Amino acid sequence: MAKKKTLNTKVSIGRLKLKNPVMTAAGTFGYGEEYSKFLNLNNLGAIVVKGLSLLPKQGNPPTRIVETPAGMLNAIGLQNIGIENFIKEKLPFLRQFNTPVIVNFFGDSIKEYAKAAERLSRVSGIQALEMNISCPNRQAGWSIFGTDPKVTSKVVKTVRNATDRTLIVKLSPNVTDISLMARVAEDAGADAVSLINTITGMAIDIRTRKPKLANITGGLSGPAVRPVAVRMVWECSKAVNIPIIGMGGIISAEDALEFIMAGASAVAVGTANFVNPRAAQDIIAGIRSFMSGQGIHNIKKIIGGVNA
Amino acid sequence: MAKKKTLNTKVSIGRLKLKNPVMTAAGTFGYGEEYSKFLNLNNLGAIVVKGLSLLPKQGNPPTRIVETPAGMLNAIGLQNIGIENFIKEKLPFLRQFNTPVIVNFFGDSIKEYAKAAERLSRVSGIQALEMNISCPNRQAGWSIFGTDPKVTSKVVKTVRNATDRTLIVKLSPNVTDISLMARVAEDAGADAVSLINTITGMAIDIRTRKPKLANITGGLSGPAVRPVAVRMVWECSKAVNIPIIGMGGIISAEDALEFIMAGASAVAVGTANFVNPRAAQDIIAGIRSFMSGQGIHNIKKIIGGVNA
Amino acid sequence: MSKLFRSSVRENRKLTTDHYLITLRPLKKIRKPKPGQFFMLSVDSGLDPLLKRPFSLHRWLGGDFQLLYETVGKATNILKYKAPGNVLEMIGPLGNGFPAGPSKTGILLVAGGLGIAPVFALAESVSSRRPLLFLGAKSRKEVLCIEKLRSLGIRPTVTTDDGSLGKKGLITDILIDFLSRQSSTCLPVGKVVNRYRVYACGPKPMLREMSRITKKFRLKGYLALEENMACGVGACLSCVVNTTDGLKRVCKEGPVFPAEEIIW
Amino acid sequence: MSKLFRSSVRENRKLTTDHYLITLRPLKKIRKPKPGQFFMLSVDSGLDPLLKRPFSLHRWLGGDFQLLYETVGKATNILKYKAPGNVLEMIGPLGNGFPAGPSKTGILLVAGGLGIAPVFALAESVSSRRPLLFLGAKSRKEVLCIEKLRSLGIRPTVTTDDGSLGKKGLITDILIDFLSRQSSTCLPVGKVVNRYRVYACGPKPMLREMSRITKKFRLKGYLALEENMACGVGACLSCVVNTTDGLKRVCKEGPVFPAEEIIW
Ligand SMILES: Cc1cc2nc3c(=O)[nH]c(=O)nc-3n(C[C@H](O)[C@H](O)[C@H](O)COP(=O)(O)OP(=O)(O)OC[C@H]3O[C@@H](n4cnc5c(N)ncnc54)[C@H](O)[C@@H]3O)c2cc1C
Ligand SMILES: Cc1cc2nc3c(=O)[nH]c(=O)nc-3n(C[C@H](O)[C@H](O)[C@H](O)COP(=O)(O)OP(=O)(O)OC[C@H]3O[C@@H](n4cnc5c(N)ncnc54)[C@H](O)[C@@H]3O)c2cc1C
Ligand SMILES: Cc1cc2nc3c(=O)[nH]c(=O)nc-3n(C[C@H](O)[C@H](O)[C@H](O)COP(=O)(O)O)c2cc1C
Ligand SMILES: Cc1cc2nc3c(=O)[nH]c(=O)nc-3n(C[C@H](O)[C@H](O)[C@H](O)COP(=O)(O)O)c2cc1C
Ligand code: FES
Ligand code: FES
């Protein structure tokens, strides 16, 4: 048995060093404040904040979420306060903690992506950028950022040139071959890829005969999608050399370890925060106790460690 | 309230007339016999049998299934007794019932698909063919039948020329745009499309560090995938004019009605058979009672009836 | 004091075919909830149902507390089987309660259906101020809490959709009658404004009508809203409503909002 | 007689930290199960766990029956909370039981760990034939059913991995010793063949070893296998094992197979 204090849970995402591999998933942890009363933000590997755009966005009308078997559909539609408000109102709070802040962001054009990245790179207290090219809840046409390899390549290259921060590209699962998209991101200069974003889904109220979500379709997340996410992480890990941040239905330490063994250098906890506001912290503790139980001194030893 | 006896639940799939829209999903109902002690096969809209190939197949080594949150992964690998044995040993039993038999089949080459279709078309007691181009559990390369529009078009056209039976093409959800694949199948001469087959997934035993399935990856089915399946049926129903057979996680009459309102003319019950061997029959009863409760006299009135 | 806690079930009483009253004992000290505040509750430790569900404070018993709920779907139909000894994980109290308002104003309470769940909590806390309660429901068996209200000295005006108890019709129509009488016979419209405060909870159409009514009679009104919730703590943005002051989260800025703020 | 039925829980007794004995009363008459047959059981009506789980007949009480189970994962950790009054949906009896064999042959029973669940059922049904039972477990507290066996007049030979009860080591080694003594001292190898029949259930490595042993001593042996199951009725092909006669379904052609048929 490894003694607890000798456990090394440090991982790297590009130049970014994390004290442990557990971060929060964009859009499920607000701007950090909301959960700061439930867990110690200092304990997290990183905090990923709700997706930001240059200007504030309204998002979609309600109903915005509906529960599905072991999962949920959301169609928030990337409502956010905008980058400037975030920098002014939210970032000072996050700077107090000894935990890297990763800003998830998006644009409605390649230019907007670049502008957003540039603006965010001029601010201290933001350690990395995660570009969201994979939200299923934006207007028609938007999805090509994450599903058309040519467009993906172009937008990632442009953002790469606009920032010197660690750049993470968040991939869509709604594609035929996600490992191809990971390679495209790598070739375009991404420091890491994160996956999966939500899978497009729909639910209908058979009594009113209306979609349960005002936006008609939404993104499926939660434990239901985990097997799909683990498979995709595994496929990508065989395809690229940059680190992978795995997510999709992680609710326990066992789940997180599945992703790590499939090839993820770090993981993000999303929907589980809603189920248990202390989920991310509990998962870190669980990983440590698994490591010490199994005599694993360094988490890096098990990254990609599945015998397949 | 509509009186029970005046309820019309008849639907058509090409020239095939079904007394009600509920069939069984390939591979989850054996060859019909296994469940004949639990429900009355005469009550079903149609029976779809386990996927057949020209020659018997061994399938994958165990472990072949594993449960996941509100779903399951399977990697049976299309084990089957072969078309000739089916005709000799299983079909006579099925012919006793007043329920159409739909044979799900596949090949490892376009030629094999055509040969299988030809052979099956020379037998009485088989009312329709469902060609499986979308199993995630075959060897590498096989998936192009269901994911590369050019190959899909070619294999469907070839089979179309080889059979005069009602031809259903079973689509893969593991694609960027399933409505495109539905259009390709329609253009190539399919009488109907069925969807979804399983979504490729993976699960890892973190203690042994091995994939839980011997085949490494498997196909995800069950309630977990339902929102994805409903969305795909809805997308396809806007894209094609041929009937759609919807499936993926149907476990109750409400679920089946969701698919019908999304645009499916019929539905198939898969994983639910394992949970409740009488599921298909219970679902039919549930649809009837919904119809009579809502004063819907003819099921056709609600096919595609979602207000979206 | 972390708002994440577990409670043991003390009692789970069936009131009607579809309504239950559950009494919970927190396993650690929690903040005293205000009427209008709510709790997010896991009915099971499994993954289906997955999310916690919001339920309003119905009655605070000085440590133990009660929730009044209707069995409408997956979670509530599991909750009804919970029995003494079972333990439920919850978060709360969450959101903002009903603001009390100046002690001289009269209090009008309006509850539609299950809206009585939080409205009763408010009624109890302001019972010394002799509030008037307007209670609407589908039919006789959905009219809840009458006895408990009587013991507070409150005799609600009741309407039912089918006339099986009280007057047949909408509770908001009765409220309009009442306010019209007040305005025409006793007071000029302007005066009604300061004379009463209205607090309401119920189905959306009723609350929309309440916004119209409070506007028409220039009354200060407060509405307890519901919206599908995932987190309950302001993080997921699933529960927003459109207000004159932009999008607001029902779980955080609400669930109680000034009636005039809501854009329907 | 449809094999789909519901049972009410009569008792659910904790035997060790991880082992429970549940007594069930079918709500309709079911076929009398044979030792070696099993039931597919839903521990809950929800979607997680989704599939039914297989459990062997442990004891038939002439109407009521018992299952012996270990809490290993999701379903069994829910099952352990079921209490008298709870109702469980199940399918069964399923599969083929242990074939009895000619009444003159001696019976050797071998159980590893939870393998005692079905082996006990067999022991009880052949107790008049004075079977010899070899019982292996990880440690003392995993040695189950000793008392019940005694009351049948059966005193098992016990081994544990850690030596905390009985001999330290593998139960199959003890069996080999026994069979070797029989062959060398009493009988020529050839004679052992007809003298004994072996019935075994336990973890895979043990059963594999049993195949080797029965082959070596040319004994007729029957093994109760386990494989992940979805349907339990032969429809899904998830539970196949490779045999000398091709792929066979554990749920349908098994779970009991002649030892020599299994290709390991
Ligand atoms: C602030 C607030 C306070 C509430 N207080 C009470 C109360 O005191 N008593 C009471 O009986 N009910 C209350 N509700 C409603 C209650 O939360 C829902 O009835 C419950 O979540 C339904 O869960 P279910 O699994 O049984 O139903 P489901 O199967 O989930 O759905 C059934 C119906 O409930 C609605 N619903 C589903 N999930 C939610 C959700 N997360 N939030 C709101 N509605 C949902 C669906 O739209 C559907 O119409 C409150 C809701 C809110 C937002
Ligand atoms: C014919 C047969 C008879 C059995 N009899 C008994 C018995 O009498 N007593 C007993 O305690 N156990 C018995 N088992 C094993 C029992 O079915 C599993 O322990 C149970 O399914 C685990 O469910 P779970 O949800 O608690 O565990 P899970 O969380 O599902 O998994 C825990 C472990 O159990 C295994 N497992 C999961 N699902 C299945 C499945 N469907 N079938 C088999 N193994 C599975 C997994 O591989 C894993 O190692 C029998 C199995 C078979 C095939
Ligand atoms: C309510 C909600 C809001 C989300 N918002 C964002 C977002 O703003 N940007 C983004 O890249 N992903 C967003 N996501 C996706 C998550 O970050 C994550 O990729 C996905 O939910 C899968 O993980 P999970 O199953 O653990 O939730 C959101 C997910 C949910 C449920
Ligand atoms: C065990 C199993 C075996 C299957 N075998 C086949 C098959 O042979 N051919 C086929 O087209 N689909 C096969 N499928 C896919 C189902 O027919 C169905 O498309 C899928 O399971 C989704 O429906 P469900 O969620 O209701 O199970 C199989 C599914 C399962 C679970
Ligand atoms: S429920 Fe998440 S913000 Fe209100
Ligand atoms: S469990 Fe389905 S065939 Fe055996």
Side-chain angles (χ1 to χ4, degrees):
Chain A
M1 291 235 188
K3 287 206 200 100
K4 251 201 163 155
K5 58 175 176 185
T6 71
L7 294 178
N8 184 343
T9 57
K10 292 198 194 95
V11 299
S12 309
I13 304 294
R15 282 154 303 149
L16 186 63
K17 308 280 176 239
L18 308 182
K19 52 182 166 287
N20 69 59
V22 181
M23 43 179 87
T24 57
T28 65
F29 206 69
Y31 300 110
E33 276 171 358
E34 291 81 357
Y35 281 107
S36 61
K37 278 163 205 147
F38 293 100
L39 44 68
N40 185 345
L41 298 183
N42 280 319
N43 289 344
L44 301 177
I47 296 169
V48 183
V49 297
K50 174 71 191 162
L52 293 167
S53 48
L54 281 172
L55 297 178
K57 298 249 182 236
Q58 288 278 312
N60 293 320
T63 301
R64 288 180 167 189
I65 67 133
V66 60
E67 188 170 299
T68 65
M72 63 178 278
L73 287 170
N74 91 76
I76 308 297
L78 295 180
Q79 178 190 339
N80 76 92
I81 58 174
I83 288 176
E84 296 306 330
N85 288 327
F86 168 76
I87 294 169
K88 256 181 286 166
E89 295 163 24
K90 306 294 179 181
L91 196 54
F93 172 81
L94 289 170
R95 280 210 196 90
Q96 304 170 66
F97 300 92
N98 178 24
T99 296
V101 172
I102 300 177
V103 170
N104 181 283
F105 74 101
F106 68 98
D108 282 337
S109 66
I110 294 184
K111 212 182 233 164
E112 272 183 36
Y113 269 104
K115 268 197 185 160
E118 238 170 77
R119 177 70 188 97
L120 290 164
S121 306
R122 278 186 278 126
V123 191
S124 77
I126 297 177
Q127 279 74 22
L129 303 183
E130 179 180 52
M131 59 186 288
N132 178 4
I133 54 169
S134 49
C135 176
N137 300 324
R138 299 288 302 162
Q139 62 281 55
W142 194 89
S143 71
I144 55 161
F145 291 121
T147 58
D148 181 333
K150 280 193 217 102
V151 182
T152 306
S153 176
K154 202 162 161 196
V155 69
V156 175
K157 273 186 188 147
T158 312
V159 169
R160 175 71 292 174
N161 289 330
T163 183
D164 54 1
R165 298 290 153 90
T166 294
L167 178 63
I168 303 160
V169 176
K170 185 151 178 187
L171 301 177
S172 170
N174 301 298
V175 294
T176 308
D177 181 2
I178 197 167
S179 70
L180 169 68
M181 302 308 287
R183 273 201 308 275
V184 167
E186 179 178 38
D187 293 344
D191 295 310
V193 287
S194 57
L195 56 132
I196 60 175
N197 210 319
T198 55
I199 307 179
T200 312
M202 177 175 178
I204 297 170
D205 183 325
I206 60 166
R207 270 155 261 274
T208 62
R209 299 189 201 172
K210 284 199 201 131
K212 289 189 179 172
L213 297 174
N215 189 50
I216 304 179
T217 59
L220 184 64
S221 65
V225 309
R226 194 172 66 236
V228 179
V230 170
R231 182 262 298 181
M232 289 184 165
V233 165
W234 182 69
E235 285 176 351
C236 288
S237 84
K238 292 186 298 175
V240 298
N241 293 312
I242 50 177
I244 294 168
I245 302 166
M247 72 196 81
I250 295 175
I251 203 142
S252 69
E254 281 73 22
D255 303 341
L257 287 158
E258 236 185 299
F259 279 86
I260 290 170
M261 290 183 184
S265 296
V267 297
V269 176
T271 302
N273 296 309
F274 309 151
V275 180
N276 168 15
R278 242 183 344 225
Q281 187 168 295
D282 290 351
I283 288 169
I284 294 162
I287 290 175
R288 294 184 70 88
S289 99
F290 177 84
M291 286 174 67
S292 80
Q294 301 255 317
I296 301 159
H297 298 263
N298 192 327
I299 187 108
K300 293 200 188 88
K301 284 266 164 66
I302 54 170
I303 294 173
V306 65
N307 290 310
Chain B
M1 289 232 189
K3 287 206 199 102
K4 250 198 166 157
K5 58 177 176 182
T6 71
L7 294 179
N8 184 342
T9 58
K10 292 198 195 94
V11 299
S12 310
I13 304 295
R15 282 154 303 148
L16 185 63
K17 309 279 176 239
L18 308 183
K19 52 182 165 287
N20 68 59
V22 181
M23 43 179 88
T24 57
T28 65
F29 206 69
Y31 300 109
E33 275 172 358
E34 291 80 358
Y35 282 109
S36 61
K37 277 163 206 147
F38 293 100
L39 44 69
N40 185 345
L41 298 184
N42 280 320
N43 290 344
L44 301 177
I47 296 168
V48 183
V49 298
K50 173 73 192 161
L52 293 166
S53 48
L54 282 171
L55 298 178
K57 298 250 181 234
Q58 289 277 311
N60 292 321
T63 301
R64 288 179 167 190
I65 67 132
V66 59
E67 188 169 301
T68 64
M72 62 178 279
L73 286 170
N74 91 77
I76 309 297
L78 296 180
Q79 177 189 337
N80 77 92
I81 59 175
I83 288 176
E84 296 307 329
N85 287 327
F86 168 75
I87 294 169
K88 256 181 286 167
E89 295 163 23
K90 305 295 180 182
L91 196 54
F93 171 81
L94 289 170
R95 280 209 196 91
Q96 304 170 66
F97 300 93
N98 179 25
T99 295
V101 172
I102 300 177
V103 170
N104 181 283
F105 74 100
F106 68 98
D108 281 338
S109 65
I110 292 184
K111 211 181 232 165
E112 273 183 37
Y113 269 104
K115 269 197 182 161
E118 238 171 77
R119 177 71 188 96
L120 290 163
S121 307
R122 278 185 280 125
V123 191
S124 75
I126 296 177
Q127 279 73 22
L129 303 183
E130 180 180 52
M131 59 185 289
N132 178 3
I133 54 168
S134 48
C135 176
N137 300 323
R138 300 288 303 160
Q139 62 281 54
W142 194 89
S143 71
I144 55 161
F145 291 121
T147 58
D148 180 333
K150 280 194 215 102
V151 183
T152 306
S153 177
K154 202 163 161 195
V155 69
V156 175
K157 274 185 189 149
T158 311
V159 169
R160 174 71 292 175
N161 289 330
T163 185
D164 55 1
R165 297 289 154 90
T166 295
L167 178 63
I168 303 159
V169 176
K170 185 152 177 187
L171 301 178
S172 170
N174 300 297
V175 294
T176 307
D177 180 3
I178 197 166
S179 70
L180 169 68
M181 304 307 287
R183 272 200 309 275
V184 167
E186 179 177 39
D187 292 344
D191 294 310
V193 287
S194 58
L195 57 131
I196 60 175
N197 210 319
T198 54
I199 308 179
T200 312
M202 178 176 179
I204 297 170
D205 183 326
I206 59 166
R207 270 155 262 275
T208 62
R209 299 190 202 172
K210 284 198 203 133
K212 288 189 179 172
L213 297 174
N215 189 50
I216 303 178
T217 59
L220 184 64
S221 66
V225 308
R226 195 172 65 236
V228 179
V230 170
R231 182 261 298 181
M232 288 184 165
V233 165
W234 182 69
E235 285 176 350
C236 289
S237 83
K238 292 186 298 175
V240 298
N241 293 312
I242 51 177
I244 294 168
I245 302 166
M247 72 195 82
I250 295 175
I251 204 143
S252 69
E254 281 74 22
D255 303 341
L257 287 158
E258 236 185 298
F259 279 85
I260 290 170
M261 290 183 185
S265 296
V267 298
V269 176
T271 302
N273 295 309
F274 310 152
V275 180
N276 168 15
R278 241 180 348 222
Q281 187 169 294
D282 290 352
I283 288 169
I284 294 162
I287 290 175
R288 293 185 70 87
S289 97
F290 177 84
M291 286 173 66
S292 80
Q294 301 254 317
I296 300 160
H297 298 263
N298 192 327
I299 186 109
K300 293 198 187 88
K301 285 267 164 68
I302 54 170
I303 294 173
V306 65
N307 291 310
Chain C
M1 230 185 301
S2 164
K3 290 182 173 176
L4 181 66
F5 65 100
R6 298 185 315 143
S7 292
S8 69
V9 177
R10 308 296 298 173
E11 194 192 8
N12 196 6
R13 191 143 48 94
K14 185 171 185 159
L15 302 180
T16 76
T17 334
D18 307 317
H19 298 97
Y20 291 76
L21 179 70
I22 192 167
T23 308
L24 297 162
R25 171 163 301 174
L27 300 184
K28 67 174 199 191
K29 203 171 146 43
I30 63 163
R31 209 165 305 186
K32 180 180 168 184
K34 280 181 272 185
Q37 286 193 305
F38 67 98
F39 296 89
M40 296 293 288
L41 185 155
S42 285
V43 297
D44 239 333
S45 60
L47 301 177
D48 185 67
L50 181 67
L51 300 170
K52 289 182 154 61
R53 299 290 199 270
F55 295 95
S56 306
L57 172 72
H58 179 58
R59 196 167 197 180
W60 176 250
L61 304 170
D64 290 5
F65 62 95
Q66 292 181 322
L67 307 175
L68 176 66
Y69 64 97
E70 185 174 9
T71 51
V72 296
K74 212 192 279 185
T76 46
N77 277 301
I78 294 173
L79 186 57
K80 73 180 180 196
Y81 291 115
K82 297 297 155 181
N86 287 154
V87 169
L88 305 174
E89 193 185 77
M90 33 209 316
I91 309 176
L94 297 168
N96 299 305
F98 293 105
S103 60
K104 290 147 298 175
T105 50
I107 290 178
L108 305 180
L109 304 174
V110 188
L114 243 279
I116 192 64
V119 167
F120 176 85
L122 180 59
E124 187 163 31
S125 76
V126 299
S127 60
S128 62
R129 291 170 64 183
R130 313 194 123 261
L132 295 181
L133 176 59
F134 297 83
L135 182 55
K138 278 204 204 103
S139 73
R140 171 179 215 106
K141 67 177 190 110
E142 264 119 83
V143 179
L144 304 166
C145 306
I146 294 285
E147 298 302 312
K148 277 190 300 194
L149 287 165
R150 287 234 173 95
S151 71
L152 296 176
I154 299 171
R155 289 175 180 270
T157 306
V158 173
T159 64
T160 52
D161 295 355
D162 61 2
S164 52
L165 193 71
K167 225 176 162 175
K168 178 169 173 162
L170 297 177
I171 195 67
T172 42
D173 290 339
I174 300 290
L175 179 70
I176 290 172
D177 287 352
F178 170 82
L179 291 171
S180 305
R181 274 199 313 275
Q182 295 284 314
S183 330
S184 59
T185 61
C186 323
L187 295 160
V189 173
K191 277 289 164 71
V192 183
V193 181
N194 301 317
R195 178 85 189 270
Y196 292 112
R197 239 153 231 249
V198 192
Y199 301 86
C201 184
K204 231 172 220 176
M206 180 196 113
L207 295 182
R208 197 186 305 122
E209 179 66 8
M210 286 303 303
S211 274
R212 271 195 293 262
I213 294 172
T214 51
K215 188 170 176 198
K216 182 175 164 200
F217 291 93
R218 286 190 270 153
L219 281 169
K220 188 85 196 153
Y222 295 94
L223 311 179
L225 266 54
E226 291 190 8
E227 208 49 74
N228 278 13
M229 290 184 177
C231 74
V233 301
C236 71
L237 306 183
S238 64
C239 64
V240 297
V241 286
N242 212 350
T243 75
T244 49
D245 195 23
L247 293 174
K248 291 199 173 172
R249 297 165 295 187
V250 171
C251 70
K252 196 80 184 178
E253 284 83 38
V256 178
F257 292 94
E260 73 272 16
E261 267 191 20
I262 306 300
I263 300 175
W264 292 99
Chain D
M1 228 183 302
S2 164
K3 289 182 171 174
L4 181 66
F5 64 100
R6 298 186 313 143
S7 293
S8 69
V9 177
R10 307 296 298 173
E11 195 192 8
N12 197 5
R13 191 143 48 93
K14 185 171 186 159
L15 303 180
T16 76
T17 334
D18 307 316
H19 298 97
Y20 290 77
L21 180 70
I22 192 166
T23 308
L24 297 161
R25 172 163 300 173
L27 299 184
K28 67 173 199 191
K29 204 170 145 45
I30 63 163
R31 210 165 304 186
K32 180 181 167 183
K34 280 182 272 184
Q37 285 192 305
F38 69 97
F39 296 89
M40 295 293 288
L41 186 154
S42 286
V43 297
D44 239 334
S45 60
L47 301 177
D48 185 66
L50 181 67
L51 300 170
K52 289 183 154 59
R53 300 290 199 270
F55 296 94
S56 306
L57 172 72
H58 179 58
R59 196 167 196 180
W60 175 250
L61 304 169
D64 290 4
F65 63 96
Q66 292 181 321
L67 307 175
L68 175 67
Y69 63 97
E70 185 173 10
T71 51
V72 296
K74 212 191 282 186
T76 46
N77 277 302
I78 293 173
L79 186 58
K80 74 180 179 196
Y81 290 115
K82 297 296 155 181
N86 287 154
V87 169
L88 305 174
E89 192 185 75
M90 32 208 317
I91 310 176
L94 298 168
N96 299 305
F98 293 104
S103 60
K104 288 148 297 176
T105 50
I107 290 177
L108 305 181
L109 305 173
V110 189
L114 243 278
I116 191 64
V119 167
F120 176 85
L122 180 59
E124 187 163 32
S125 76
V126 299
S127 61
S128 62
R129 292 169 65 182
R130 313 193 125 262
L132 295 181
L133 176 60
F134 297 83
L135 182 56
K138 278 206 204 101
S139 73
R140 172 179 214 107
K141 67 177 191 109
E142 266 119 83
V143 179
L144 303 166
C145 305
I146 294 285
E147 296 303 311
K148 277 189 300 194
L149 287 164
R150 287 235 173 95
S151 71
L152 298 176
I154 299 170
R155 286 172 184 272
T157 305
V158 173
T159 64
T160 51
D161 295 355
D162 61 2
S164 52
L165 192 72
K167 226 178 161 173
K168 179 170 175 161
L170 297 177
I171 196 66
T172 42
D173 290 339
I174 300 289
L175 178 70
I176 290 172
D177 286 353
F178 170 83
L179 291 170
S180 304
R181 275 199 313 276
Q182 294 283 314
S183 330
S184 58
T185 61
C186 324
L187 295 160
V189 173
K191 277 290 165 71
V192 182
V193 179
N194 301 317
R195 178 85 192 270
Y196 292 113
R197 239 154 231 248
V198 193
Y199 301 86
C201 184
K204 232 172 218 175
M206 181 196 113
L207 295 181
R208 198 187 304 123
E209 179 67 8
M210 285 304 303
S211 273
R212 273 196 292 263
I213 294 172
T214 51
K215 188 172 179 195
K216 182 174 165 205
F217 291 94
R218 287 191 267 151
L219 280 169
K220 189 83 196 152
Y222 295 94
L223 312 179
L225 266 55
E226 292 189 5
E227 209 50 75
N228 279 14
M229 290 182 177
C231 74
V233 301
C236 71
L237 306 182
S238 64
C239 64
V240 297
V241 286
N242 212 350
T243 75
T244 50
D245 196 24
L247 292 174
K248 291 198 172 172
R249 297 165 294 188
V250 170
C251 70
K252 196 80 185 178
E253 285 83 39
V256 178
F257 292 95
E260 73 271 16
E261 267 191 20
I262 306 300
I263 301 175
W264 292 100

